């Protein structure tokens, strides 16, 4: 699937997913919350044809409020201007706007055999059980992938049947694993020892992974062998099969993961209903899931019996559902009757977060069916957030509290009551990030009515603008929004969905530089902060601010098909865990220049080459010319930096010069430099007696010989020559034959190695050498000055004209990636490293985080369920959930947050959240002095402070002389500090006389 729109998605679904998606046709039946989410995700993903069908018929959208109809809350595709119109047609128009590549149509046909036969995937939502069984039988018989998704109240259900012989071509997400081989023992079993990678990391294989080998010298029988399983012994060693009959291992090579096709068989819904196959991790989860299974089944029976779902909080209805569940699920074992009653009592509710979550999971399963990438669900999945009903305020709700009010929020009121809905409207939230997760959150907030009442407000900020690559996973953006501020576009879309919502958009970074805007007062008046940022630094800063202000923080993030939700609720939970093991993607210069052993090294080398060839020289030339005196007399003796001199000397006049320059550059890097390295350190060189120099993570390279008929060689020449021509503002040529003619006519001098050239073997010596040779400046000559003037004249500019065009690397520019991939793969060939394809090269070189709309929508749904708990001001730790989602295998792991850590100080146990607070107003009504604060600590706590600090600034030190102490005591607390408008609080550290403890409660001074 070409183009930047789907670039991030391809890393989740695979490079070949685009063609299959374009050829696919999917039926989505049911267009309430879950169905709308499924349809939107499939359209954004680029599915060729999406057909909408609503079993409720083509009625008009809306419900009444004070005589005015409004769109139903979970259906985010509808807006107020759609009220009174055909809701299916209105949904179709909104979906069609999302992606011009997708044909979105509406059908009113019956679900007949002939009709269903035109689809690869059929998704049923809001469907009665009888219809599910009938359609499921047809799809199973015809090999049509069949999905049922249902969301009711605080629970959701998902079922998949992909036929009796469904082949998964790639069952896992992410790149294949590999490691450099250091040694293989000649035994039974053989032991593979892997070389240590950057940052001390070993291999990342798991027990049972299938592997093969390449590039081994000695034990060559393993090169290209059939995939064999490994057993992990430790961080660096793997156990494989019998190696005793193989030749001895000498050096080199890699162990490579292999993923084979898998065939899966599924039962039809009719077969799977009675004894459901539910993948779970524990017996307690199995009982809960079976209880939900029986309840969903019983709700179908209840609706068939009564013509409706159970009324909210109606005990008699809930008991009847329990009776039906006991009868229908008798063979499932004992049910959790509390779960059945709780679910039944709110099953008539419609909650946007639950619909978002279940719809996203269903859409991901549909994408698996189409692309045959990742493991499909086998076969049932159940989800609930019934812990929300255990919160104080929710537990005591009555049937009257949850009666419908003729409001767009009636589905939510059915679960949480009318008073809660009013409280939702009064909330003040800060959303940091309006990207993939941020957009889904704002969409859900609009449907929930967050900040849609008196006093409510949502502030959303994002520095970025909308890009093409955002369009495949962000429902609030359209193609016309590209280059506009994300936060403003998202806020405007949110207002269209629900005009009552109060939302303010900013384009600010949240950090130390904006504390005047987002200071203590701002954070303390918030009900919650939502972190949807994409850097660890931003996450850490937000956590620090929320800890300081004791404001609840919900942190969320995704990478490909994985998502995480982390709640931090003062004073209940421990603070968020700081990320560990992160890397900024840098590698030792010595490794990049001389000893690469992984494709990441060659790609980073290519990135550095790009900057060093096409950006920095042009910037240096332009800067030199900008600073060049206009008067010739003032130029005499002026030094010209070596980089500028070289750029001017290498200036091409036409395309042929650019090709010749690229050819010389190719020869220098891929032949001469490698030949010199091998001259200094021959393949047989030893670091010390008996220890080969080229071993472990040092791969012995070989020089390449240029071949004008080799596509890879010519591709590099073309890519480099194009960029070189662009920097000098010259036209390019796309005629490969003409380029090859120029190449064939070139004769380069033979390489002559240098005998005493010093090549570093460690990073330390490399750094010394780099610092010692920055390049010598040259003197500006009259001829060179005249050449510069003529060059400017040719470009039609005066002294201010920029003679060169610096090129900044852009991962979504194909011309840039042409060079990066060609340069990297040629260097990989030098060192015997397996090359990377286009997608992999772009992801690594561009530091791209894989992303897909299904993960972001599911994570946003989970975040919003935690928002409900914050709105209730829930102080029960067991009600909150830390969630880790793996859509690649339809797995959700949820645990309760941990309690905050405690410590002992001066005979008392303190919590992490405990602190001393003092209103720092002195006797004169002004800000306290240091003396007054010390007296307060002595008076209130009996503590004699010996040291008082603010950060690294010493405010008081009892070890200083008497004069210094007197001066310190007389100072106001904030003396010597910048009193910015946001400075209303000081957090001080102290040490008391006789202290032996390492930790003490912080001291917060509220300034007047």
């Amino acid at each position: 699937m070409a183009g930047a729109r789907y670039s991030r998605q391809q890393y989740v679904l695979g490079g070949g997913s685009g063609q299959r998606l374009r050829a696919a046709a999917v039926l989505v039946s049911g267009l309430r919350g879950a169905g709308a989410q499924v349809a939107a995700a499939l359209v954004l993903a680029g599915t060729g044809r999406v057909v909408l069908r609503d079993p409720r018929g083509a009625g008009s959208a809306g419900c009444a409020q004070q005589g005015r109809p409004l769109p139903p809350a979970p259906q985010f595709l509808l807006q107020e201007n759609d009220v009174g119109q055909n809701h299916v047609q209105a949904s179709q128009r909104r979906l069609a706007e999302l992606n011009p590549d997708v044909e979105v149509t509406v059908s009113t046909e019956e679900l007949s055999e002939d009709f269903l036969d035109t689809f690869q995937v059929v998704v049923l939502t809001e469907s009665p059980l009888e219809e599910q069984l009938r359609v499921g039988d047809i799809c199973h018989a015809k090999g049509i992938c069949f999905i049922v998704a249902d969301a009711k109240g605080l629970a959701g259900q998902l079922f998949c049947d992909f036929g009796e012989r469904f082949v998964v071509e790639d069952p896992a997400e992410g790149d294949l694993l590999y490691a450099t081989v250091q040694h293989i023992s000649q035994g039974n079993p053989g032991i593979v020892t892997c070389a240590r990678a950057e940052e001390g990391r070993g291999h990342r294989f798991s027990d049972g992974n299938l592997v093969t080998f390449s590039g081994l010298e000695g034990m060559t029988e393993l090169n290209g062998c059939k995939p064999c399983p490994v057993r992990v012994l430790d961080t660096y060693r793997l156990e494989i099969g019998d190696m005793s009959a193989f030749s001895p291992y000498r050096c080199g090579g890699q162990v490579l993961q292999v993923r084979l096709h898998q065939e899966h068989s599924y039962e039809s819904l009719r077969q799977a209903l009675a004894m459901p196959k539910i993948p779970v991790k524990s017996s307690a989860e199995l009982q809960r899931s079976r209880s939900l299974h029986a309840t969903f089944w019983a709700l179908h029976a209840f609706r068939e019996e009564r013509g409706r779902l159970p009324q909210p909080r109606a005990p008699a209805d809930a008991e009847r559902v329990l009776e039906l569940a006991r009868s229908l699920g008798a063979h499932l074992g004992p049910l959790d009757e509390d779960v059945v009653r709780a679910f039944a009592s709110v099953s008539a509710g419609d909650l946007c977060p639950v619909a978002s979550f279940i719809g996203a999971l269903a859409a991901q399963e549909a994408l698996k069916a189409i692309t045959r990438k990742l493991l499909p669900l086998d076969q049932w999945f159940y989800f609930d957030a019934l812990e929300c009903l255990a919160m104080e305020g929710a537990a005591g709700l009555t049937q009257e509290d949850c009666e419908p009010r003729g409001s767009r929020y009636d589905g939510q009121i059915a679960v949480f009551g009318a008073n809660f809905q009013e409280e939702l409207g009064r909330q003040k939230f800060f959303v940091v990030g309006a990207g993939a997760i941020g957009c889904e959150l704002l969409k859900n907030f609009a449907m929930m009515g967050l900040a849609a009442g008196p006093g409510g407000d949502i502030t959303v900020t994002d520095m970025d603008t909308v890009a093409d690559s955002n369009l495949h996973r962000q429902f609030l953006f359209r193609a016309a929004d590209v280059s506009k501020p994300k936060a403003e576009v998202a806020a405007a879309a949110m207002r269209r969905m629900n005009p009552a919502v109060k939302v303010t958009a900013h384009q600010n970074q949240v950090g130390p530089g904006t504390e005047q805007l987002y200071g203590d007062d701002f954070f303390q008046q918030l009900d919650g902060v939502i972190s949807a940022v994409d850097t660890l630094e931003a996450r850490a800063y937000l956590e620090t601010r929320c800890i300081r202000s004791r404001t609840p923080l919900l942190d969320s993030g995704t990478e490909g098909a994985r998502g995480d939700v982390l709640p931090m609720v003062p004073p209940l939970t421990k603070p968020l865990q700081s990320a560990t093991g992160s890397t900024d993607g840098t590698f030792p210069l010595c490794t990049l220049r001389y000893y690469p052993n992984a494709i990441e090294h060659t790609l980073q080398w290519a990135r550095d080459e790009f900057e060093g060839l096409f950006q920095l020289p042009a910037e240096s030339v332009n800067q030199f010319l900008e600073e060049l005196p206009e008067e010739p007399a003032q130029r005499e003796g002026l030094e010209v930096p070596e980089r500028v001199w070289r750029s001017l000397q290498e200036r091409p006049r036409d395309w042929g010069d650019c090709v010749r320059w690229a050819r010389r550059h190719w020869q220098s890097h891929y032949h001469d430099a490698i030949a010199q390295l091998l001259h200094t350190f021959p393949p047989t060189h030893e670091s010390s007696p008996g220890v080969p120099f080229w071993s472990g993570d040092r791969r012995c390279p070989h020089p390449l010989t240029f071949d004008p008929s080799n596509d890879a060689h010519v591709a590099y020449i073309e890519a480099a020559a194009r960029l070189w021509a662009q920097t000098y503002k010259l036209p390019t040529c796309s005629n490969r034959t003409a380029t090859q003619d120029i190449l064939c006519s070139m004769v380069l001098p033979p390489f002559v190695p240098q005998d005493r050239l010093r090549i570093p073997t460690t990073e330390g010596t490399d750094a010394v050498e780099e610092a010692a040779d920055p390049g010598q400046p040259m003197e500006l000559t009259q001829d060179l000055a005249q050449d510069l003037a003529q060059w400017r004249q040719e470009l039609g500019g005066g002294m201010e004209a920029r003679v060169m065009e610096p090129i900044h690397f852009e991962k979504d520019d194909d011309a840039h990636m042409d060079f990066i991939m060609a340069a990297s793969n040629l260097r990989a060939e030098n060192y015997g490293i397996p090359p990377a394809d286009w997608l992999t090269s772009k992801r690594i070189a561009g530091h791209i985080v894989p992303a897909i709309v299904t993960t972001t929508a599911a994570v946003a749904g989970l975040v919003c369920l935690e928002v409900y708990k914050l709105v209730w001001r829930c102080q029960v730790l067991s009600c909150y959930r830390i969630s880790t989602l793996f859509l690649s295998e339809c797995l959700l792991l949820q645990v309760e947050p941990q309690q905050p850590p405690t410590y002992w100080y001066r005979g008392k146990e303190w919590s992490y959240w405990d602190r001393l607070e003092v209103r720092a107003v002195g006797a004169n009504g002004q800000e306290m002095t240091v003396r007054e604060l010390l007296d307060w600590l002595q008076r209130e706590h009996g503590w004699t402070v010996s040291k008082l600090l603010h950060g690294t600034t010493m405010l008081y030190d009892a070890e200083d002389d008497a004069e210094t102490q007197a001066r310190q005591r007389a100072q106001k607390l904030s003396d010597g500090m910048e009193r910015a408008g946001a400075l209303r609080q000081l957090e001080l550290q102290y040490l008391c006389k006789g202290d032996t403890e390492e930790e003490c409660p912080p001291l917060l001074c509220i300034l007047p």
Side-chain angles (χ1 to χ4, degrees):
M1 187 167 287
R5 176 187 285 265
Y6 308 104
S7 60
R8 309 306 185 260
Q9 174 180 283
Q10 292 180 89
Y11 298 111
V12 183
L13 300 179
S17 61
Q19 186 174 358
R20 285 182 167 171
L21 281 167
R22 285 195 299 273
V26 180
L27 172 67
V28 179
S29 181
L31 286 178
R32 289 184 67 81
Q37 187 69 59
V38 173
L42 292 175
V43 171
L44 287 169
T47 307
R49 186 165 66 98
V50 176
V51 178
L52 311 176
R53 181 183 178 277
D54 198 311
R56 296 173 297 164
S60 62
C63 57
Q65 183 182 43
Q66 297 179 349
R68 182 168 57 97
L70 292 174
Q75 224 296 33
F76 60 88
L77 295 173
L78 301 177
Q79 299 176 3
E80 285 203 357
N81 57 9
D82 297 320
V83 170
Q85 300 183 33
N86 180 305
H87 72 275
V88 185
Q89 296 291 344
S91 298
Q92 183 272 335
R93 287 193 300 273
R94 204 79 67 228
L95 288 167
E97 294 171 359
L98 287 177
N99 193 341
D101 298 337
V102 178
E103 179 188 355
V104 183
T105 61
V106 173
S107 175
T108 57
E109 288 194 42
E110 293 297 321
L111 298 177
S112 64
E113 227 176 286
D114 290 342
F115 176 66
L116 295 171
D117 203 24
T118 62
F119 300 99
Q120 285 75 51
V121 182
V122 171
V123 183
L124 296 187
T125 68
E126 313 166 52
S127 179
L129 181 59
E130 181 183 350
E131 181 178 74
Q132 293 177 12
L133 293 170
R134 182 179 62 80
V135 173
D137 289 343
I138 296 172
C139 290
H140 189 81
K142 289 184 167 291
I144 301 166
C145 295
F146 177 61
I147 298 170
V148 174
D150 202 357
K152 286 183 168 60
L154 281 164
Q157 173 193 61
L158 188 61
F159 170 77
C160 292
D161 169 18
F162 289 179
E164 295 180 1
R165 300 186 64 182
F166 182 81
V167 176
V168 180
E169 296 180 1
D170 188 354
E173 186 185 9
D175 296 334
L176 296 171
L177 302 176
Y178 66 90
T180 299
V181 175
Q182 188 168 22
H183 185 262
I184 304 178
S185 67
Q186 197 177 14
N188 183 17
I191 306 299
V192 179
T193 303
C194 301
R196 190 165 125 170
E198 259 50 326
E199 302 176 349
R201 176 177 54 78
H203 68 76
R204 290 174 290 174
F205 293 101
S206 302
D207 285 341
N209 282 161
L210 298 177
V211 301
T212 187
F213 295 82
S214 72
L216 300 179
E217 295 184 31
M219 206 169 282
T220 55
E221 298 91 337
L222 284 177
N223 285 330
C225 68
K226 291 182 178 180
C228 56
V230 298
R231 187 169 77 88
V232 174
L233 298 180
D234 57 33
T235 305
Y236 298 101
R237 297 185 305 150
L238 302 168
E239 183 182 282
I240 53 176
D242 186 357
M243 302 288 108
S244 58
F246 289 2
S247 56
Y249 171 81
R250 291 204 309 274
C251 64
Q254 287 189 316
V255 53
L256 309 164
Q257 183 187 16
V258 178
R259 290 202 288 251
L260 301 179
H261 293 185
Q262 296 183 8
E263 184 173 290
H264 294 262
S265 180
Y266 298 86
E267 293 182 339
S268 68
L269 176 62
R270 194 176 297 276
Q271 294 172 300
L273 183 63
M275 188 54 69
K277 191 187 298 184
I278 310 173
V280 290
K281 296 295 184 182
S282 69
S283 57
E285 287 183 65
L286 181 60
Q287 185 195 27
R288 191 176 188 91
S289 292
R290 284 179 170 174
S291 299
L292 292 171
H293 179 84
T295 309
F296 269 100
W297 196 354
L299 288 171
H300 283 292
F302 185 95
R303 175 173 264 170
E304 182 70 21
E305 178 180 285
R306 307 280 180 90
R308 59 171 175 84
L309 286 171
Q311 292 181 351
R313 307 283 178 163
D317 283 1
E319 288 301 320
R320 178 55 183 157
V321 172
L322 177 59
E323 291 174 7
L324 292 168
R326 286 176 183 148
S327 173
L328 294 169
H331 56 287
L332 297 176
L335 303 180
D336 186 327
E337 297 191 356
D338 289 338
V339 168
V340 177
R341 288 192 186 94
F343 175 27
S345 70
V346 296
S347 59
D350 278 325
L351 297 180
C352 181
V354 177
S356 176
F357 179 76
I358 291 297
L361 266 62
Q364 183 64 58
E365 295 306 307
L367 294 174
K368 292 177 186 178
I370 295 167
T371 63
R372 309 217 167 215
K373 167 79 173 178
L374 307 177
L375 284 177
L377 171 64
D378 185 25
Q379 290 192 258
W380 294 90
F381 174 87
Y382 283 95
F383 167 80
D384 76 86
L386 294 173
E387 72 276 2
C388 292
L389 300 181
M391 297 182 294
E392 185 180 356
L397 290 173
T398 66
Q399 188 171 352
E400 184 180 356
D401 295 327
C402 300
E403 286 179 347
R405 265 63 172 176
S407 158
R408 66 181 295 157
Y409 309 116
D410 277 350
Q412 202 161 244
I413 291 171
V415 178
F416 295 123
N419 290 339
F420 175 81
Q421 189 62 51
E422 293 179 4
E423 187 64 30
L424 264 173
R426 290 190 286 265
Q427 296 295 295
K428 291 181 173 65
F429 268 75
F430 186 30
V431 179
V432 185
I437 299 177
C439 277
E440 283 293 323
L441 286 168
L442 294 174
K443 177 203 79 179
N444 289 351
F445 290 165
M447 297 297 97
M448 292 160 59
L450 189 75
D457 183 67
I458 295 172
T459 302
V460 56
T461 187
D462 195 306
M463 292 179 63
D464 289 344
T465 56
V466 179
D468 285 330
S469 59
N470 302 140
L471 299 179
H472 87 277
R473 63 189 187 279
Q474 287 157 322
F475 172 75
L476 303 186
F477 300 158
R478 303 292 185 269
D481 297 322
V482 170
S483 299
K484 296 179 183 178
K486 284 184 177 180
E488 291 183 9
V489 173
M494 191 180 181
R495 293 186 200 101
R496 289 193 297 271
M497 297 172 72
N498 187 346
V501 169
K502 284 83 171 176
V503 56
T504 305
H506 292 171
Q507 202 175 356
N508 302 318
Q509 183 180 22
V510 179
T514 54
E515 286 189 2
Q516 283 190 317
L517 183 61
Y518 309 122
D520 293 329
D521 289 346
F522 175 81
F523 275 92
Q524 287 172 354
Q525 55 90 35
L526 295 172
D527 295 296
V529 175
I530 311 290
S531 169
V533 296
D534 55 6
T535 67
L536 296 177
E537 294 80 8
R539 281 191 167 96
Y541 177 80
L542 271 178
E543 180 186 2
T544 301
R545 292 313 308 263
C546 289
I547 289 173
R548 178 185 174 110
S549 63
R550 290 188 171 185
T551 303
L553 170 65
L554 300 179
D555 184 47
S556 58
T558 68
E559 182 174 359
R562 172 176 173 157
D564 297 277
V565 178
L566 297 169
M568 184 182 78
V569 186
L572 289 181
T573 71
K574 66 182 295 186
L576 302 182
Q577 292 290 334
S578 299
T580 59
S582 61
T583 175
D584 58 4
T586 59
F587 303 104
L589 186 60
C590 194
T591 299
L592 297 180
R593 288 192 63 182
Y594 303 109
Y595 312 114
N597 58 67
I599 198 66
E600 288 85 355
H601 298 155
T602 65
L603 282 162
Q604 184 57 52
W605 177 87
R607 277 288 308 270
D608 294 344
E609 273 281 284
F610 188 101
E611 184 179 297
L613 292 173
F614 311 120
Q615 178 188 332
L616 297 181
E619 289 177 341
S620 298
V621 169
N622 290 339
Q623 182 179 357
F624 174 76
L625 294 178
E626 287 172 6
E627 298 171 355
L628 189 66
E630 294 190 27
E631 295 298 326
Q634 297 176 338
R635 302 175 186 172
E636 291 183 10
L638 192 66
E639 289 186 342
V640 182
E642 188 271 341
R643 179 181 279 160
V644 174
W645 183 274
R646 188 170 63 247
S647 296
L648 298 176
Q649 293 298 309
E650 292 178 335
R651 177 192 168 196
R653 265 40 180 197
D654 55 26
W655 171 251
D657 283 351
C658 295
V659 171
R660 284 182 278 271
W661 168 85
R663 173 67 180 89
R664 290 191 298 271
H665 200 75
W666 191 102
Q667 189 72 14
S668 170
H669 278 65
Y670 302 112
H671 181 275
D672 296 358
I674 302 300
Q676 178 64 57
L677 182 59
L678 292 175
H679 178 78
T680 305
F681 301 120
T684 57
H685 183 73
E686 294 183 343
S687 302
S688 58
V691 180
F693 178 82
W694 296 107
S695 63
D697 56 2
R698 285 201 195 110
R699 302 173 69 90
C700 186
H702 68 278
L704 304 183
T705 301
F706 186 80
D707 179 0
S709 65
N710 185 310
D711 284 342
H713 295 185
V714 179
Y716 174 89
I717 300 296
E718 290 179 324
R722 275 193 207 98
L723 294 169
W724 191 250
Q726 183 180 339
T727 63
Y728 286 91
K729 302 185 178 182
L730 292 173
T732 61
C733 174
S734 59
N735 187 331
R736 173 167 283 202
T737 302
T739 299
Q740 288 174 313
D741 289 343
I742 297 171
L743 294 171
C744 290
S745 68
M746 291 184 67
V747 178
L748 299 182
F751 170 71
V752 178
Q754 302 178 48
D755 286 331
R756 295 187 178 181
L757 182 67
R758 182 186 176 199
I759 296 179
T761 59
T762 64
E763 186 61 19
T765 56
D766 192 30
V768 171
E769 181 176 274
E770 288 293 308
D773 185 22
Q776 298 300 316
M778 310 291 287
E779 187 174 314
L780 180 64
T781 65
Q782 185 175 0
D783 290 343
L784 181 56
Q786 289 176 349
D787 187 44
L788 288 172
Q790 181 182 352
W791 191 358
R792 275 185 169 141
Q793 188 175 3
E794 290 172 3
L795 292 170
M799 289 296 294
E800 72 282 355
R802 291 159 54 91
V803 298
M804 294 190 70
E805 179 184 335
I807 304 174
H808 295 263
F809 174 71
E810 171 50 57
K811 57 184 174 287
D812 289 322
D813 190 314
D814 288 354
H816 297 189
M817 279 309 307
D818 283 343
F819 174 83
I820 295 292
M821 188 174 76
S824 170
N825 283 344
L826 286 171
R827 188 160 177 81
E829 186 180 350
N830 277 138
Y831 284 86
I833 299 169
D837 61 19
W838 174 274
L839 278 176
T840 303
S841 298
K842 182 174 179 177
R843 178 181 61 77
I844 297 172
H847 304 296
I848 292 174
V849 177
I852 191 167
V853 63
T854 48
T855 314
T856 57
V859 165
L862 294 172
V863 171
C864 291
L865 288 169
E866 299 305 304
V867 168
Y868 284 143
K869 301 164 190 178
L870 296 183
V871 175
W872 276 115
R873 289 170 175 74
C874 176
Q875 293 299 304
V876 180
L877 182 66
S878 60
C879 287
Y880 291 93
R881 295 289 182 268
I882 293 174
S883 300
T884 303
L885 176 66
F886 301 91
L887 281 189
S888 55
E889 47 192 308
C890 202
L891 173 64
L892 174 65
L893 303 178
Q894 290 190 304
V895 296
E896 295 175 13
Q898 294 182 358
Q899 293 181 340
T902 61
Y903 57 93
W904 286 87
Y905 182 70
R906 295 193 159 242
K908 177 183 175 182
E909 186 177 20
W910 299 78
S911 163
Y912 174 88
W913 294 103
D914 289 336
R915 62 191 180 191
L916 305 178
E917 289 190 16
V918 55
R919 189 169 180 269
V921 180
N924 61 358
Q926 302 296 312
E927 180 184 320
M928 266 187 180
T929 62
V930 171
R931 175 185 289 106
E932 288 175 313
L933 180 62
L934 297 178
D935 292 344
W936 180 85
L937 286 166
Q938 179 69 54
R939 184 175 62 253
E940 294 294 324
H941 298 280
W943 299 348
T944 302
V945 174
S946 58
K947 293 184 188 297
L948 184 67
L949 303 95
H950 177 255
T952 58
T953 302
M954 183 69 71
L955 302 182
Y956 172 75
D957 189 346
E959 295 181 4
D960 286 338
D961 57 69
E963 182 180 348
T964 302
Q965 287 188 48
R967 187 175 65 251
Q968 291 172 339
R969 286 173 175 269
Q971 289 181 333
K972 291 183 178 180
L973 293 178
S974 65
D975 281 356
M977 302 178 196
E978 292 185 11
R979 283 300 305 265
L983 182 59
R984 295 289 306 279
Q985 300 177 352
L986 285 178
E987 187 170 308
L988 305 181
Q989 298 79 43
Y990 54 90
L991 183 66
C992 292
K993 186 177 179 180
D995 274 357
T996 57
E997 297 91 341
E998 294 183 357
E999 193 171 4
C1000 62
L1003 173 59
L1004 188 69
C1005 301
I1006 314 297
L1007 303 181

